[in-house]
Amino acid sequence: MATQTPKRLRHLTSINDLRIDEIEALFALADRYLDELSDPHIPYRIGRSLTEAQGSLLATLFYEPSTRTRLSFETAMIRLGGKSISSADPATSSAAKGESLADTVRVASNYADVLVIRHPRDGAARFAADYASVPVINGGDGAHEHPTQTLCDLFTLRRENKDLNRLNVAVSGDLKGSRTIHSFVYALARFGAEITLMPAGGMDLPEHVYWRLKHDYQHTPTRPSDVADPEVDAVYVTADQPHQLALIAEAGAVVDESSKKKSRAKRAIDAVYVTRFQKERWANKDQDYPTVDANFLKGKEFSHTSVMHPLPRVGELDVAFDSDPRAVYFRQAAYGVPIRMALIAGLLELSNAHALETFEAGFRPAQYVLYDQPNGVGDRCVNANCIVHDPLDGKYARNKFHLIEADRPRLRCHYCENDVTHFFVAHRKHKTYAPAASGLHVSKTQANTVFFNDAKSAEDAGYTLQPPRHAPRA
Ligand code: NCD
């Protein structure tokens, strides 16, 4: 049998796998599909099909409920002229017999030409990409990311004639558990938007997402507490007081004229992004949650605001608002088809996709050096919901971390992208370890570097504490 060079694969596991020019190229192709194929009566609905993907197959492997993501991916493939197969219920697939995602992906790669995966574990998509021999698209992995939802979100704002390069967006609700928010804020920051955070009580952005916005993408979001008004003491949007966003704008009027915060607070808000309380990701499922309605949006700064929601909504967005011209959430869901058509066309290199000349194979180069430790060497990611802690898949997962040499060093899990800020670095040959915060003692040879979460696990693995390099003078 002739040997073949394996093709360099392109996956989409995080919105940050795409460069800005690639995102724009996808939008241009999605525009073309809408121009050429839209329903004459409903301009944002794709109503006709092509044949360019004839003979190609898409597989959706969904381990969590879905309506829009799965159906719009399948619709997109069929509209391109291809076909779609689906494993939508883990109870009726081999997952119920205990098959790992790694094995399922290896098998499904031999059936379909592109895989879309939704999974409850953070980092599952990137993990799956390690085992797939065809492109993997993340259809939502735990609380990590939902990059194709972000493509729909940005595409919607663009179709609403909003300038993506100078957006002012407020994101509200469960900012901790919503993967849609995490992908969205990364993209907004990279496009240069202003972001106001309106978390429900105790549901703020995770620290690692916030850190990344600030340090990797040079963006500091505004919080209600940033506004210097002694009258405004609430930081969160609460069920009792859901109208804090209006307070921000009012508060803007009383802060120092020269304050940059004021200009941010007073600028018209291009979009308010509402999210559902992600109950399935919280132990306490009985928490207060605010509702967004016309009253919430009565201020002048909201007169041209696009009100967005990834859907499903379960009470946090008033149905009476649906007839308001600012409600864009059903269009946002409809745009899932052209944008996912463009993505599939790009990944499969279909003929229509030469618009995507810049759509190169491979992940975007990682910003930070990757340390890849075999299973059993060093400690695992500290995020309990990371795919590496899955009883089945954990057996396959390697300990992969990006080392970020900031003022205070951090380890970023390659799969779920949670950061560890307190860790120990050990030298495999010297058999010594030291706290990372005391200065990194990373070996030049990556294979000699081992990371531990605490001193005890380093000691248990046979390492001894390295004496300080410069002993204090007597
Ligand atoms: C979102 C998801 O699954 O994260 N749904 C979707 O794909 N449109 C949002 C949600 O479930 O709240």
PDB file of all heavy atoms in Angstrom, residues 68-69 118 146 149 179-180 276 278 310-312, ligand 1:
ATOM      1  N   ARG A  68     -30.419  24.379  18.166  1.00  0.00           N
ATOM      2  CA  ARG A  68     -29.896  25.252  17.120  1.00  0.00           C
ATOM      3  C   ARG A  68     -28.555  24.779  16.547  1.00  0.00           C
ATOM      4  O   ARG A  68     -28.379  24.717  15.333  1.00  0.00           O
ATOM      5  CB  ARG A  68     -29.668  26.675  17.655  1.00  0.00           C
ATOM      6  CG  ARG A  68     -30.851  27.568  17.562  1.00  0.00           C
ATOM      7  CD  ARG A  68     -30.792  28.590  18.660  1.00  0.00           C
ATOM      8  NE  ARG A  68     -30.972  27.890  19.918  1.00  0.00           N
ATOM      9  CZ  ARG A  68     -32.169  27.567  20.416  1.00  0.00           C
ATOM     10  NH1 ARG A  68     -33.245  27.944  19.809  1.00  0.00           N
ATOM     11  NH2 ARG A  68     -32.282  26.873  21.532  1.00  0.00           N
ATOM     12  N   THR A  69     -27.609  24.474  17.421  1.00  0.00           N
ATOM     13  CA  THR A  69     -26.261  24.196  16.923  1.00  0.00           C
ATOM     14  C   THR A  69     -26.276  22.953  16.036  1.00  0.00           C
ATOM     15  O   THR A  69     -25.764  22.963  14.915  1.00  0.00           O
ATOM     16  CB  THR A  69     -25.275  24.038  18.102  1.00  0.00           C
ATOM     17  OG1 THR A  69     -25.379  25.207  18.905  1.00  0.00           O
ATOM     18  CG2 THR A  69     -23.849  23.868  17.626  1.00  0.00           C
ATOM     19  N   ARG A 118     -20.216  18.323  20.673  1.00  0.00           N
ATOM     20  CA  ARG A 118     -20.679  19.040  21.875  1.00  0.00           C
ATOM     21  C   ARG A 118     -20.539  18.091  23.051  1.00  0.00           C
ATOM     22  O   ARG A 118     -20.923  16.913  22.959  1.00  0.00           O
ATOM     23  CB  ARG A 118     -22.130  19.484  21.715  1.00  0.00           C
ATOM     24  CG  ARG A 118     -22.696  19.989  23.027  1.00  0.00           C
ATOM     25  CD  ARG A 118     -23.998  20.693  22.876  1.00  0.00           C
ATOM     26  NE  ARG A 118     -23.840  21.978  22.233  1.00  0.00           N
ATOM     27  CZ  ARG A 118     -24.797  22.910  22.180  1.00  0.00           C
ATOM     28  NH1 ARG A 118     -25.967  22.678  22.728  1.00  0.00           N
ATOM     29  NH2 ARG A 118     -24.595  24.059  21.594  1.00  0.00           N
ATOM     30  N   HIS A 146     -17.723  28.283  22.861  1.00  0.00           N
ATOM     31  CA  HIS A 146     -18.706  27.930  21.832  1.00  0.00           C
ATOM     32  C   HIS A 146     -18.402  28.840  20.630  1.00  0.00           C
ATOM     33  O   HIS A 146     -19.119  29.793  20.349  1.00  0.00           O
ATOM     34  CB  HIS A 146     -20.109  28.177  22.379  1.00  0.00           C
ATOM     35  CG  HIS A 146     -21.215  27.579  21.579  1.00  0.00           C
ATOM     36  ND1 HIS A 146     -21.053  27.122  20.289  1.00  0.00           N
ATOM     37  CD2 HIS A 146     -22.517  27.366  21.890  1.00  0.00           C
ATOM     38  CE1 HIS A 146     -22.217  26.658  19.854  1.00  0.00           C
ATOM     39  NE2 HIS A 146     -23.119  26.789  20.800  1.00  0.00           N
ATOM     40  N   GLN A 149     -20.973  29.851  17.854  1.00  0.00           N
ATOM     41  CA  GLN A 149     -22.022  30.773  18.299  1.00  0.00           C
ATOM     42  C   GLN A 149     -21.495  32.205  18.178  1.00  0.00           C
ATOM     43  O   GLN A 149     -22.199  33.106  17.736  1.00  0.00           O
ATOM     44  CB  GLN A 149     -22.433  30.457  19.740  1.00  0.00           C
ATOM     45  CG  GLN A 149     -23.514  31.384  20.289  1.00  0.00           C
ATOM     46  CD  GLN A 149     -24.831  31.274  19.543  1.00  0.00           C
ATOM     47  OE1 GLN A 149     -25.332  30.186  19.305  1.00  0.00           O
ATOM     48  NE2 GLN A 149     -25.410  32.413  19.145  1.00  0.00           N
ATOM     49  N   ARG A 179     -20.477  29.379  28.115  1.00  0.00           N
ATOM     50  CA  ARG A 179     -19.366  29.243  27.152  1.00  0.00           C
ATOM     51  C   ARG A 179     -19.530  30.233  26.002  1.00  0.00           C
ATOM     52  O   ARG A 179     -18.546  30.680  25.407  1.00  0.00           O
ATOM     53  CB  ARG A 179     -19.321  27.814  26.625  1.00  0.00           C
ATOM     54  CG  ARG A 179     -20.668  27.332  26.068  1.00  0.00           C
ATOM     55  CD  ARG A 179     -20.689  25.838  25.938  1.00  0.00           C
ATOM     56  NE  ARG A 179     -21.973  25.301  25.504  1.00  0.00           N
ATOM     57  CZ  ARG A 179     -22.335  24.046  25.702  1.00  0.00           C
ATOM     58  NH1 ARG A 179     -21.533  23.204  26.314  1.00  0.00           N
ATOM     59  NH2 ARG A 179     -23.489  23.601  25.278  1.00  0.00           N
ATOM     60  N   THR A 180     -20.785  30.582  25.687  1.00  0.00           N
ATOM     61  CA  THR A 180     -21.013  31.550  24.599  1.00  0.00           C
ATOM     62  C   THR A 180     -20.359  32.882  24.944  1.00  0.00           C
ATOM     63  O   THR A 180     -19.792  33.549  24.082  1.00  0.00           O
ATOM     64  CB  THR A 180     -22.519  31.776  24.364  1.00  0.00           C
ATOM     65  OG1 THR A 180     -23.117  32.174  25.602  1.00  0.00           O
ATOM     66  CG2 THR A 180     -23.207  30.531  23.864  1.00  0.00           C
ATOM     67  N   ARG A 276     -28.752  32.699  29.572  1.00  0.00           N
ATOM     68  CA  ARG A 276     -29.530  31.843  30.470  1.00  0.00           C
ATOM     69  C   ARG A 276     -28.674  31.454  31.673  1.00  0.00           C
ATOM     70  O   ARG A 276     -27.452  31.311  31.537  1.00  0.00           O
ATOM     71  CB  ARG A 276     -29.894  30.595  29.639  1.00  0.00           C
ATOM     72  CG  ARG A 276     -30.500  29.438  30.330  1.00  0.00           C
ATOM     73  CD  ARG A 276     -30.779  28.319  29.311  1.00  0.00           C
ATOM     74  NE  ARG A 276     -29.574  27.656  28.840  1.00  0.00           N
ATOM     75  CZ  ARG A 276     -28.999  26.599  29.435  1.00  0.00           C
ATOM     76  NH1 ARG A 276     -29.512  26.081  30.516  1.00  0.00           N
ATOM     77  NH2 ARG A 276     -27.900  26.058  28.929  1.00  0.00           N
ATOM     78  N   GLN A 278     -26.954  28.952  33.538  1.00  0.00           N
ATOM     79  CA  GLN A 278     -26.504  27.630  33.066  1.00  0.00           C
ATOM     80  C   GLN A 278     -26.613  26.624  34.219  1.00  0.00           C
ATOM     81  O   GLN A 278     -25.606  26.135  34.747  1.00  0.00           O
ATOM     82  CB  GLN A 278     -25.055  27.724  32.569  1.00  0.00           C
ATOM     83  CG  GLN A 278     -24.814  28.792  31.517  1.00  0.00           C
ATOM     84  CD  GLN A 278     -25.299  28.390  30.136  1.00  0.00           C
ATOM     85  OE1 GLN A 278     -24.910  27.363  29.607  1.00  0.00           O
ATOM     86  NE2 GLN A 278     -26.171  29.200  29.552  1.00  0.00           N
ATOM     87  N   PRO A 310     -28.173  33.800  22.810  1.00  0.00           N
ATOM     88  CA  PRO A 310     -27.827  32.629  21.991  1.00  0.00           C
ATOM     89  C   PRO A 310     -28.978  31.632  21.931  1.00  0.00           C
ATOM     90  O   PRO A 310     -28.980  30.752  21.074  1.00  0.00           O
ATOM     91  CB  PRO A 310     -26.613  32.032  22.719  1.00  0.00           C
ATOM     92  CG  PRO A 310     -26.732  32.501  24.140  1.00  0.00           C
ATOM     93  CD  PRO A 310     -27.414  33.845  24.077  1.00  0.00           C
ATOM     94  N   LEU A 311     -29.951  31.773  22.858  1.00  0.00           N
ATOM     95  CA  LEU A 311     -31.092  30.865  22.994  1.00  0.00           C
ATOM     96  C   LEU A 311     -30.594  29.455  23.358  1.00  0.00           C
ATOM     97  O   LEU A 311     -29.481  29.106  22.983  1.00  0.00           O
ATOM     98  CB  LEU A 311     -31.951  30.849  21.728  1.00  0.00           C
ATOM     99  CG  LEU A 311     -32.531  32.223  21.310  1.00  0.00           C
ATOM    100  CD1 LEU A 311     -33.293  32.072  19.983  1.00  0.00           C
ATOM    101  CD2 LEU A 311     -33.445  32.813  22.380  1.00  0.00           C
ATOM    102  N   PRO A 312     -31.307  28.638  24.092  1.00  0.00           N
ATOM    103  CA  PRO A 312     -32.691  28.862  24.485  1.00  0.00           C
ATOM    104  C   PRO A 312     -32.805  29.870  25.637  1.00  0.00           C
ATOM    105  O   PRO A 312     -31.898  29.969  26.456  1.00  0.00           O
ATOM    106  CB  PRO A 312     -33.111  27.474  24.979  1.00  0.00           C
ATOM    107  CG  PRO A 312     -31.857  26.842  25.498  1.00  0.00           C
ATOM    108  CD  PRO A 312     -30.764  27.352  24.602  1.00  0.00           C
TER     109      PRO A 312
HETATM  110  C1  NCD B   1     -25.964  27.878  24.028  1.00  0.00           C
HETATM  111  C2  NCD B   1     -25.065  26.752  24.509  1.00  0.00           C
HETATM  112  O1  NCD B   1     -25.331  25.578  24.250  1.00  0.00           O
HETATM  113  O2  NCD B   1     -24.067  27.092  25.128  1.00  0.00           O
HETATM  114  N1  NCD B   1     -26.945  27.433  23.125  1.00  0.00           N
HETATM  115  C3  NCD B   1     -26.680  27.479  21.771  1.00  0.00           C
HETATM  116  O3  NCD B   1     -25.864  26.759  21.278  1.00  0.00           O
HETATM  117  N2  NCD B   1     -27.297  28.414  21.047  1.00  0.00           N
HETATM  118  C4  NCD B   1     -26.539  28.704  25.116  1.00  0.00           C
HETATM  119  C5  NCD B   1     -27.263  28.030  26.248  1.00  0.00           C
HETATM  120  O4  NCD B   1     -27.465  26.820  26.260  1.00  0.00           O
HETATM  121  O5  NCD B   1     -27.655  28.751  27.158  1.00  0.00           O
END
